[in-house]
Amino acid sequence: MNDKFMLIQVFVVLFLCINLLLITTFFTKEFFYTTIRYVLFAVTLMSDCLFLFLTNILLLLTYYGYTIQMWLCLTIYIVVSLYIFVTPVTLTAMTLERYVAICLPLRHAELCSPRSTLHGILIIHILSSLPCIVFLSIFFASASYGSYSQGRVCTVEIFIIHRWQGHLKSAINQFYFLIMCITIVFAYVKKTRVAKAASGEDKKSTWRGLRTVGLHAFQLLLCLIQLWCPFIEAAVLQINVMLFINVRYFNYITFILAPRCLSPLIYGLRDEMFFHALKRLALCGLRKKH
């Protein structure tokens, strides 16, 4: 367990450093924070940073068996449960933005204006907060007042008082999974038709956009699978505790850390303009050190 724990710490620190570098790059050019696809990319980066930091704090507390007040655990859980949905919902929004750019190019400027971007970010956070509001409303109705002052090891399981609450949470996760999958498939099919009909330079640009959507789809798939993880872990916990620990470790690496590594790959390295800005920032940092 010590080796596994240290490996997770290395991954978390590495991904946080990469994401923070990309966030810094985002703020170096006005073009980035006035273009919707880069703004949404920055939202995913900030969401991932906050999510990774807080989940790692929870991992450290659980690993060392530290107890904290229930109200503090509840606060952390609210933020984590919000941002576990923000990244996949934002990726869905990014896919829809590419759909508008390729299939409705004449309406792109109107639908993806800076004002629409702010409204979109607000809608993303509202949609992401709904599962948390539903789940916590049930918890507040079920938990006794005295439980908020108790010291507990902070895990998601302490908020599931009744077994049906776990089933409800799984149902909500699966509903979101289904809606986002339908959206991705719809956008991909539509863009494939446009790509086949395009010619010359337009065809090359369209297929490049389609490949980006494909990478979004893969990243989103990993993010969406994590919504199934609590359901799988709850079933495994009934069988064997050590198996539960190993499954949770595998899920954390594969479906929480890995998707948050793909964002830098998709935009930080594939997007030429962002890559040049990133390279310039990195080179300036090296020159200052020398």
Side-chain angles (χ1 to χ4, degrees):
M1 286 303 298
N2 284 332
D3 293 340
K4 291 178 180 178
F5 180 76
M6 291 308 298
L7 182 62
I8 288 175
Q9 298 311 303
V10 170
F11 277 131
V12 168
V13 170
L14 178 63
F15 295 160
L16 284 175
C17 288
I18 292 171
N19 284 3
L20 288 172
L21 178 62
L22 291 171
I23 291 169
T24 306
T25 306
F26 169 77
F27 286 107
T28 58
K29 279 193 174 186
E30 186 181 350
F31 177 76
F32 293 147
Y33 49 87
T34 56
T35 306
I36 185 169
R37 70 176 184 271
Y38 294 112
V39 173
L40 292 176
F41 172 54
V43 169
T44 63
L45 288 174
M46 293 175 190
S47 167
D48 290 345
C49 283
L50 185 58
F51 181 77
L52 284 175
F53 177 74
L54 288 177
T55 53
N56 197 53
I57 292 293
L58 291 177
L59 179 67
L60 289 167
L61 292 173
T62 305
Y63 183 78
Y64 290 109
Y66 287 129
T67 60
I68 60 174
Q69 292 290 310
M70 190 71 165
W71 65 266
L72 179 57
C73 180
L74 184 62
T75 305
I76 296 172
Y77 174 76
I78 289 170
V79 179
V80 169
S81 60
L82 169 64
Y83 283 96
I84 199 171
F85 281 97
V86 165
T87 293
V89 174
T90 305
L91 286 169
T92 306
M94 291 170 80
T95 302
L96 290 175
E97 185 274 330
R98 288 292 84 200
Y99 163 75
V100 172
I102 293 170
C103 300
L104 304 167
L106 297 178
R107 298 202 62 194
H108 186 263
E110 175 194 347
L111 295 173
C112 301
S113 64
R115 185 181 179 84
S116 299
T117 303
L118 291 175
H119 290 161
I121 293 170
L122 180 61
I123 291 168
I124 285 167
H125 281 78
I126 290 170
L127 290 173
S128 301
S129 66
L130 291 178
C132 177
I133 291 169
V134 171
F135 191 69
L136 288 179
S137 297
I138 297 167
F139 172 75
F140 289 142
S142 304
S144 62
Y145 181 76
S147 64
Y148 297 111
S149 59
Q150 294 175 359
R152 302 283 293 273
V153 175
C154 191
T155 63
V156 68
E157 284 77 21
I158 65 174
F159 298 106
I160 300 174
I161 298 171
H162 306 292
R163 191 172 181 181
W164 60 266
Q165 288 177 265
H167 296 157
L168 176 64
K169 186 178 180 182
S170 296
I172 293 171
N173 288 351
Q174 289 163 36
F175 175 74
Y176 270 69
F177 179 93
L178 181 63
I179 295 298
M180 285 188 250
C181 282
I182 290 171
T183 306
I184 286 286
V185 171
F186 167 79
Y188 193 83
V189 169
K190 287 285 187 181
K191 281 178 273 193
T192 303
R193 289 177 181 172
V194 172
K196 287 179 180 178
S199 59
E201 198 63 34
D202 287 339
K203 191 178 185 74
K204 184 179 177 182
S205 175
T206 305
W207 278 108
R208 181 176 173 81
L210 203 59
R211 283 196 297 271
T212 301
V213 172
L215 286 170
H216 280 321
F218 177 66
Q219 185 185 11
L220 185 59
L221 178 64
L222 292 178
C223 283
L224 291 176
I225 288 173
Q226 85 180 21
L227 301 181
W228 285 73
C229 290
F231 182 74
I232 296 166
E233 289 167 6
V236 171
L237 183 59
Q238 304 299 319
I239 301 169
N240 184 279
V241 175
M242 279 309 299
L243 181 61
F244 166 77
I245 291 169
N246 289 327
V247 168
R248 175 164 278 191
Y249 170 78
F250 174 80
N251 288 342
Y252 189 76
I253 292 285
T254 310
F255 303 122
I256 294 179
L257 293 185
R260 283 149 181 85
C261 170
L262 285 175
S263 283
L265 177 65
I266 292 172
Y267 269 98
L269 300 179
R270 289 189 77 253
D271 188 277
E272 288 183 17
M273 187 176 291
F274 201 89
F275 177 70
H276 288 314
L278 176 64
K279 189 165 67 171
R280 192 159 51 247
L281 180 68
L283 290 173
C284 285
L286 288 173
R287 283 172 188 164
K288 284 179 182 178
K289 285 184 178 180
H290 290 298

